[in-house]
């Protein structure tokens, strides 16, 4: 039986559990600083945070902003496939804005691709039908997909690290974000733009739903995608959360 704590016992922070207090302390003490996004660096402008601190969370196959008087839908996912998973992302109006999939996977590493429906630089070519099929994407429904960013992940038994780089040319990339999963029972992670801490993720209390706090000027979808990659999600788009795994 679980022994009741004395009334005078200090209550744990909502981001802490009995195990993982060190990681919980890092999350609690992390002070976020506003990001600095170049024009065109966001997957979609509507996903860029504008408040000093924006609080969002996962709700099944969607993410919502819960920091105001009522929850506000940000985006939703459509997960496809079992072995070669890919995910379509739509905004709050139901308009498709991105495609995400894993195109390289190792025992402790993975490389994921974020695609948009428009070219990211002059002369960029869309993925070919053969390239899409290789990723398990059979039906593009007449749409063209252009690589926008890549997420590279390396994992250990208890931690993981990610880099998020924008596609700027043929085989050319520009680093934008990095993410680090902390050693903890529940999911906790910190995200930086360069050396600036711009976001933190955690599961408050007994919740199994990921929450994210971001500073202003942060591409929230990009950071959430990094978070899913850190958690081991091949599509970087919440397939695990949609299945109730995290």
């Amino acid at each position: 039986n679980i022994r009741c704590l004395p009334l005078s016992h200090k209550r744990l922070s909502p981001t802490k559990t009995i195990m993982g207090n060190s990681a919980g302390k890092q999350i609690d003490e992390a002070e976020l600083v506003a990001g600095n996004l170049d024009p065109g660096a966001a997957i979609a402008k509507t996903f860029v945070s504008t408040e000093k601190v924006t609080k969002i969370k996962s709700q099944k196959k969607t993410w919502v902003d819960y920091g105001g008087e009522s929850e506000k839908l940000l985006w939703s996912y459509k997960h496809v496939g079992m072995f070669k998973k890919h995910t379509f992302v739509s905004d709050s109006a139901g308009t498709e804005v991105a495609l995400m999939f894993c195109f390289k996977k190792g025992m402790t590493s993975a490389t994921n691709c974020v695609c948009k429906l428009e070219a990211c630089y002059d002369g960029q070519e869309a993925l070919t039908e053969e390239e899409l099929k290789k990723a398990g994407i059979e039906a593009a429904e007449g749409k063209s997909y252009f690589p926008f960013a890549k997420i590279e992940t390396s994992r250990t038994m208890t931690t993981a690290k990610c880099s998020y780089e924008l596609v700027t040319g043929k085989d050319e990339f520009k680093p934008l974000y990095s993410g680090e999963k902390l050693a903890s029972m529940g999911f906790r992670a910190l995200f930086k733009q360069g050396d600036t801490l711009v976001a933190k993720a955690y599961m408050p209390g007994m919740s199994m739903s990921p929450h994210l706090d971001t500073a202003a000027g942060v591409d929230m979808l990009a950071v959430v995608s990094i978070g899913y990659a850190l958690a081991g999600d091949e599509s970087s788009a919440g397939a695990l959360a949609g299945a109730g795994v995290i």
Side-chain angles (χ1 to χ4, degrees):
N1 293 333
I2 300 175
R3 179 176 60 86
C4 293
L5 295 173
L7 293 177
S8 60
H9 189 277
K10 185 177 180 180
R11 183 177 297 176
L12 288 175
S13 161
T15 60
K16 292 183 180 179
T17 59
I18 294 175
M19 295 186 68
N21 279 351
S22 176
K25 184 177 180 181
Q26 282 184 260
I27 294 294
D28 285 345
E29 296 179 351
E31 295 186 7
L32 306 181
V33 179
N36 182 23
L37 276 181
D38 293 332
I43 299 173
K45 292 180 180 179
T46 54
F47 301 153
V48 177
S49 55
T50 57
E51 302 294 330
K52 183 177 180 180
V53 177
T54 299
K55 291 181 172 291
I56 66 176
K57 65 180 179 180
S58 169
Q59 279 192 350
K60 296 182 180 179
K61 295 181 181 180
T62 70
W63 274 76
V64 299
D65 182 335
Y66 68 96
E69 294 182 0
S70 60
E71 293 180 352
K72 174 185 174 183
L73 175 66
L74 295 172
W75 65 80
S76 60
Y77 298 117
K78 178 183 177 183
H79 306 302
V80 182
M82 294 187 64
F83 299 104
K84 291 185 177 181
K85 293 181 256 186
H86 56 280
T87 300
F88 299 99
V89 186
S90 298
D91 62 18
S92 59
T95 302
E96 184 183 334
V97 294
L99 164 69
M100 301 182 181
F101 61 90
C102 177
F103 66 88
K104 185 178 179 181
K105 184 181 179 184
M107 290 293 291
T108 59
S109 63
T111 303
N112 298 337
C113 184
V114 179
C115 295
K116 294 179 64 171
L117 284 81
E118 57 189 26
C120 308
Y121 60 87
D122 291 340
Q124 184 182 24
E125 296 181 356
L127 293 175
T128 64
E129 185 177 345
E130 183 179 346
E131 288 172 325
L132 290 171
K133 285 185 176 180
K134 189 176 180 180
I137 304 165
E138 297 291 340
E141 299 179 350
K143 299 174 183 176
S144 297
Y145 294 98
F146 300 84
F148 175 74
K150 70 173 181 177
I151 303 173
E152 293 193 329
T153 311
S154 60
R155 289 186 290 269
T156 68
M157 289 293 290
T158 58
T159 64
K161 291 185 177 181
C162 268
S163 65
Y164 179 96
E165 301 180 9
L166 299 174
V167 177
T168 57
K170 188 174 177 61
D171 298 323
E172 296 178 0
F173 304 91
K174 179 182 179 181
L176 179 59
Y177 295 124
S178 62
E180 180 181 5
K181 177 182 177 292
L182 306 178
S184 172
M185 284 286 288
F187 182 76
R188 295 180 176 87
L190 298 173
F191 306 88
K192 294 182 177 180
Q193 181 179 3
D195 294 325
T196 302
L197 183 65
V198 296
K200 56 184 179 181
Y202 52 91
M203 291 181 176
M206 299 300 291
S207 172
M208 296 298 289
S209 172
H211 287 53
L212 182 77
D213 294 356
T214 74
V218 176
D219 184 342
M220 296 183 288
L221 177 56
V223 172
V224 166
S225 301
I226 298 169
Y228 281 128
L230 290 171
D233 192 326
E234 290 180 22
S235 69
S236 282
L240 295 181
V245 178
I246 61 172

